[in-house]
């Protein structure tokens, strides 16, 4: 949890006081809820950092995450990111068309959506390690 607390502390001072993400952090919500709020508010760097910290925490615990849960988390994050993307976005078209994670990641990287590209890269790596 230390990594998550550090991430939240580093981002908290930059967040608008009236936002959902700031309110979630202030009331001590879990990282999943904070990440969802951050994604909704377009704070993709925070959402991505929380996702990665949670994944690292699971890896450090030594408890293997079932493949289905990784896929479920990625699918949920893709839905959240998709809601924030304009219709003419290549990444949005890839998501809507059911493209592979690799293709979506490449489109995200080309459009400067680094937190999404990073999240998908980590998901691909995680999925590859559990096959």
């Amino acid at each position: 949890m230390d990594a998550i607390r550090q991430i939240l502390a580093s981002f908290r001072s930059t967040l608008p006081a009236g936002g959902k993400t700031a309110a979630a952090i202030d009331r001590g919500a879990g990282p999943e809820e904070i990440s969802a709020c951050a994604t909704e508010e377009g704070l993709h760097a925070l959402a991505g950092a929380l996702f990665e910290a949670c994944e690292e925490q699971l890896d450090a615990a030594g408890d293997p995450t079932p493949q289905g849960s990784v896929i479920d988390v990625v699918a949920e994050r893709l839905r959240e990111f998709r809601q924030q993307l304009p219709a003419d976005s290549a990444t949005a078209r890839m998501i809507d068309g059911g493209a592979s994670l690799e293709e979506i990641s490449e489109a995200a990287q080309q459009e400067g959506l680094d937190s999404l590209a990073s999240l998908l890269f980590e998901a691909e790596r995680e999925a590859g390690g559990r096959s």
Side-chain angles (χ1 to χ4, degrees):
M1 274 311 241
D2 288 334
I4 293 172
R5 284 191 198 116
Q6 288 174 347
I7 291 167
L8 295 177
S10 69
F11 276 91
R12 178 57 186 100
S13 65
T14 66
L15 300 175
K20 288 182 179 181
T21 306
I25 292 170
D26 292 346
R27 75 170 182 280
E32 295 84 8
E33 181 182 347
I34 295 169
S35 181
C37 291
T39 300
E40 184 178 324
E41 293 181 323
L43 304 168
H44 302 301
L46 173 56
L50 286 173
F51 177 82
E52 290 178 28
C54 288
E55 285 295 309
E56 287 176 13
Q57 190 175 41
L58 287 173
D59 288 345
D63 297 331
T65 304
Q67 180 64 29
S69 68
V70 171
I71 292 169
D72 293 342
V73 168
V74 171
E76 178 61 27
R77 294 294 182 261
L78 275 176
R79 283 191 292 275
E80 292 169 359
F81 271 100
R82 174 57 186 101
Q83 293 174 357
Q84 305 297 318
L85 298 172
D88 64 345
S89 161
T91 305
R93 287 192 303 271
M94 291 286 191
I95 293 170
D96 294 345
S100 70
L101 293 181
E102 183 179 354
E103 292 170 320
I104 296 169
S105 179
E106 288 173 11
Q109 185 135 11
Q110 289 175 356
E111 291 184 315
L113 302 169
D114 297 329
S115 61
L116 177 58
S118 176
L119 175 132
L120 294 174
F121 174 78
E122 289 297 322
E124 287 178 281
R125 191 177 77 178
E126 182 74 17
R130 300 208 190 274
S131 300

